[in-house]
Amino acid sequence: MKHVHLKGSSHEIGLQAARILADEQKNGYPPNYPEEVLEKSMEYNEQVRLIAPEYLEELQVISDTLDIDYRRLVALEVSGLRFHSSCLAMTISGEHTSDGLPVLARTQEWMEDDADSLRVIHSQPDGKLKSVGTNFAWTLASRYGGMNEAGVAISSASATFDDPKPGIIINVATRWILDNCRTTEEAVDFLEGMPKVWGETYIILDRNNTIAKVESHRKRTVTTYPSSGFAYNTLLYDTPEMRQLLSSERMERAGEIQSTRKDFIDEWFSENKGKITNEAIKDVLKDHEHGICYHGLEGMEICWSYILEPTGQNVSLCQGRPCKNEYEAFKPQFS
């Protein structure tokens, strides 16, 4: 896997990203989009400008440096008009782990062939929190999960992609939280207040063992703070009021997988709480029988998985399917 280090002002980070992405241009970076998509993407651009104009400055520097239509970068990085991703994520408080450290684990469900495009992004933006996050080769301005130096870890799963509207896309929201939030509650406040693109569920954990699950949609957002010290999300909403927002097609497609996973994970946690190790979590992420390490429908294979310990600031990351690849362990350089 490739580790990317980005540091400094928005302009400096944009230049660093441009140098990296210059090598990707021969591989089709960034994708071409129809003119209609390019025009519509600018509505998302204006939503991001309200909360994080510095991210757009990074994209503008990349556009200017590589002579790329700025709108193509916006469509790729901040709009709901490009690829969709999904995953399973779970958090466990320190009272249930063998070493007393809270942990967040995730699998990224995406085409396995794209595992080679995984980037681990070490970020040190001026005036913001240092963080480590994951993303694909072409999308260096946003994040699909990670943790920061304050001890906040976050991941998410997609519940519905129906009828996206301009708002803050999942990967932009994740980066904003990693850049700015020191507690789970601060992250929840941001997610509840931001304009939504489509349906997502977020799992958040901090070094204080505070876990939150945010089920979000343009029409409604529900937040829970589980007292059990355990939470997970995958494919669908859990609460009845949020499930009403899902199409029958989505429920049919994901319902069986969701039910199988839920029964398995609930039973596993009940039997192992208080003594859960990282090795035990890895065994869960390798599971085939209950659909955790999924090899089925295109777009729902496993591209990568990781385990984050925000208190100990440890990361274990597996490139590709965890059933046949090893985890690489490292400590982010936050100090």
Side-chain angles (χ1 to χ4, degrees):
M1 67 190 69
K2 293 186 178 180
H3 290 256
V4 174
H5 296 264
L6 302 173
K7 180 179 180 179
S9 67
S10 299
H11 185 83
E12 290 168 335
I13 289 175
L15 287 175
Q16 293 160 26
R19 286 193 289 270
I20 295 167
L21 293 170
D23 293 334
E24 302 289 339
Q25 283 189 286
K26 60 180 177 294
N27 297 322
Y29 169 80
N32 286 310
Y33 298 98
E35 182 65 25
E36 179 183 7
V37 169
L38 296 179
E39 287 299 320
K40 286 184 177 180
S41 71
M42 296 307 290
E43 298 177 20
Y44 294 81
N45 184 80
E46 295 312 303
Q47 293 290 334
V48 176
R49 189 180 305 282
L50 296 175
I51 66 149
E54 64 271 21
Y55 301 170
L56 303 182
E57 182 180 357
E58 292 177 21
L59 297 184
Q60 188 64 64
V61 171
I62 295 170
S63 170
D64 294 342
T65 303
L66 301 182
D67 192 24
I68 294 170
D69 186 341
Y70 173 78
R71 299 175 303 166
R72 290 173 65 187
L73 300 178
V74 170
L76 174 65
E77 286 270 18
V78 307
S79 84
L81 304 171
R82 76 293 185 268
F83 55 79
H84 302 158
S85 66
S86 187
C87 72
L88 176 143
M90 64 178 175
T91 56
I92 304 168
S93 67
E95 65 182 303
H96 299 306
T97 62
S98 62
D99 58 9
L101 298 178
V103 64
L104 183 152
R106 168 185 177 142
T107 59
Q108 174 75 40
E109 292 177 345
W110 191 247
M111 282 75 75
E112 187 188 12
D113 289 347
D114 275 352
D116 289 341
S117 72
L118 169 64
R119 297 294 182 270
V120 182
I121 304 178
H122 304 258
S123 179
Q124 297 185 40
D126 286 351
K128 305 288 185 180
L129 295 168
K130 300 174 185 176
S131 66
V132 60
T134 57
N135 216 320
F136 297 98
W138 291 351
T139 49
L140 298 186
S142 55
R143 309 285 184 269
Y144 284 97
M147 69 180 186
N148 65 24
E149 63 177 319
V152 171
I154 181 171
S155 192
S156 56
S158 300
T160 174
F161 302 113
D162 294 342
D163 190 27
K165 301 293 183 184
I168 304 303
I169 195 71
I170 172 179
N171 42 309
V172 173
T174 299
R175 177 177 171 184
W176 195 95
I177 287 168
L178 293 175
D179 280 354
N180 295 282
C181 295
R182 295 182 174 275
T183 65
T184 293
E185 292 86 352
E186 289 179 3
V188 168
D189 286 345
F190 173 72
L191 292 173
E192 289 182 338
M194 76 178 193
K196 317 300 191 296
V197 172
W198 48 43
E200 303 287 352
T201 58
Y202 296 85
I203 291 285
I204 309 157
L205 167 72
D206 65 21
R207 65 169 69 242
N208 299 318
N209 285 292
T210 303
I211 295 172
K213 180 173 182 176
V214 181
E215 297 183 319
S216 69
H217 191 276
R218 294 190 312 278
K219 297 180 180 179
R220 188 180 303 145
T221 296
V222 174
T223 299
T224 56
Y225 290 89
S227 58
S228 64
F230 176 68
Y232 72 92
N233 59 1
T234 173
L235 297 176
L236 298 175
Y237 297 127
D238 285 335
T239 56
E241 60 266 43
M242 294 301 291
R243 285 205 171 192
Q244 294 175 7
L245 302 174
L246 299 177
S247 67
S248 57
E249 179 183 359
R250 178 68 172 175
M251 290 293 292
E252 181 179 355
R253 181 173 182 264
E256 183 177 351
I257 300 172
Q258 167 83 346
S259 177
T260 302
R261 288 176 172 178
K262 176 175 170 43
D263 292 345
F264 167 64
I265 293 175
D266 284 345
E267 182 177 357
W268 172 82
F269 175 71
S270 178
E271 293 177 350
N272 293 278
K273 60 183 178 181
K275 55 184 180 181
I276 295 172
T277 65
N278 280 2
E279 292 305 312
I281 293 172
K282 290 175 185 178
D283 286 340
V284 169
L285 299 180
K286 295 175 184 178
D287 171 82
H288 291 148
E289 182 181 355
H290 306 93
I292 308 300
C293 188
Y294 192 81
H295 301 181
L297 299 173
E298 182 178 337
M300 290 179 62
E301 304 165 63
I302 303 299
C303 181
W304 72 72
S305 64
Y306 57 66
I307 301 170
L308 307 177
E309 294 178 290
T311 303
Q313 296 184 341
N314 298 309
V315 178
S316 295
L317 199 151
C318 176
Q319 183 173 1
R321 296 176 182 174
C323 64
K324 64 179 184 181
N325 295 284
E326 298 298 319
Y327 283 81
E328 173 188 314
F330 63 91
K331 261 187 185 297
Q333 299 300 309
F334 288 152
S335 58

